[in-house]
PDB file of all heavy atoms in Angstrom:
ATOM      1  N   CYS A  34      20.397-115.869 -95.767  1.00 92.00           N
ATOM      2  CA  CYS A  34      20.194-115.463 -94.370  1.00 92.00           C
ATOM      3  C   CYS A  34      19.925-116.647 -93.444  1.00 92.00           C
ATOM      4  O   CYS A  34      20.002-116.502 -92.221  1.00 92.00           O
ATOM      5  CB  CYS A  34      19.029-114.479 -94.278  1.00 92.00           C
ATOM      6  SG  CYS A  34      19.329-112.899 -95.090  1.00 92.00           S
ATOM      7  N   SER A  57      26.750-122.060-104.051  1.00 91.00           N
ATOM      8  CA  SER A  57      25.700-121.817-103.065  1.00 91.00           C
ATOM      9  C   SER A  57      25.881-122.666-101.815  1.00 91.00           C
ATOM     10  O   SER A  57      26.260-123.845-101.894  1.00 91.00           O
ATOM     11  CB  SER A  57      24.334-122.113-103.693  1.00 91.00           C
ATOM     12  OG  SER A  57      23.312-122.023-102.724  1.00 91.00           O
ATOM     13  N   LYS A  87       9.641-134.805 -99.116  1.00 96.00           N
ATOM     14  CA  LYS A  87       9.813-136.138 -98.512  1.00 96.00           C
ATOM     15  C   LYS A  87      11.289-136.474 -98.353  1.00 96.00           C
ATOM     16  O   LYS A  87      11.722-136.961 -97.308  1.00 96.00           O
ATOM     17  CB  LYS A  87       9.137-137.194 -99.384  1.00 96.00           C
ATOM     18  CG  LYS A  87       7.623-137.128 -99.409  1.00 96.00           C
ATOM     19  CD  LYS A  87       7.065-138.141-100.402  1.00 96.00           C
ATOM     20  CE  LYS A  87       5.557-138.060-100.502  1.00 96.00           C
ATOM     21  NZ  LYS A  87       5.023-138.965-101.558  1.00 96.00           N
ATOM     22  N   LEU A 100       0.451-117.446-107.232  1.00 97.00           N
ATOM     23  CA  LEU A 100       0.047-118.436-108.240  1.00 97.00           C
ATOM     24  C   LEU A 100       1.178-118.583-109.254  1.00 97.00           C
ATOM     25  O   LEU A 100       1.807-117.584-109.617  1.00 97.00           O
ATOM     26  CB  LEU A 100      -1.226-117.989-108.971  1.00 97.00           C
ATOM     27  CG  LEU A 100      -2.502-117.798-108.136  1.00 97.00           C
ATOM     28  CD1 LEU A 100      -3.613-117.215-109.013  1.00 97.00           C
ATOM     29  CD2 LEU A 100      -2.949-119.098-107.496  1.00 97.00           C
ATOM     30  N   LYS A 110      -0.040-128.812 -98.059  1.00 98.00           N
ATOM     31  CA  LYS A 110      -0.465-128.618 -96.671  1.00 98.00           C
ATOM     32  C   LYS A 110      -1.683-129.481 -96.366  1.00 98.00           C
ATOM     33  O   LYS A 110      -1.768-130.109 -95.308  1.00 98.00           O
ATOM     34  CB  LYS A 110      -0.787-127.149 -96.416  1.00 98.00           C
ATOM     35  CG  LYS A 110      -1.238-126.882 -94.973  1.00 98.00           C
ATOM     36  CD  LYS A 110      -1.499-125.419 -94.711  1.00 98.00           C
ATOM     37  CE  LYS A 110      -1.910-125.205 -93.243  1.00 98.00           C
ATOM     38  NZ  LYS A 110      -2.145-123.770 -92.920  1.00 98.00           N
ATOM     39  N   ALA A 199      32.839 -97.678-122.951  1.00 91.00           N
ATOM     40  CA  ALA A 199      32.858 -96.387-123.665  1.00 91.00           C
ATOM     41  C   ALA A 199      31.849 -95.408-123.086  1.00 91.00           C
ATOM     42  O   ALA A 199      31.138 -94.699-123.817  1.00 91.00           O
ATOM     43  CB  ALA A 199      32.602 -96.601-125.160  1.00 91.00           C
ATOM     44  N   VAL A 283      24.175 -89.981-111.827  1.00 97.00           N
ATOM     45  CA  VAL A 283      22.896 -90.208-111.147  1.00 97.00           C
ATOM     46  C   VAL A 283      22.253 -91.452-111.748  1.00 97.00           C
ATOM     47  O   VAL A 283      22.409 -91.723-112.941  1.00 97.00           O
ATOM     48  CB  VAL A 283      21.952 -88.994-111.331  1.00 97.00           C
ATOM     49  CG1 VAL A 283      20.515 -89.338-110.922  1.00 97.00           C
ATOM     50  CG2 VAL A 283      22.418 -87.800-110.522  1.00 97.00           C
TER      51      VAL A 283
END
Side-chain angles (χ1 to χ4, degrees):
C34 294
S57 174
K87 291 175 183 175
L100 299 174
K110 180 178 182 178
V283 167

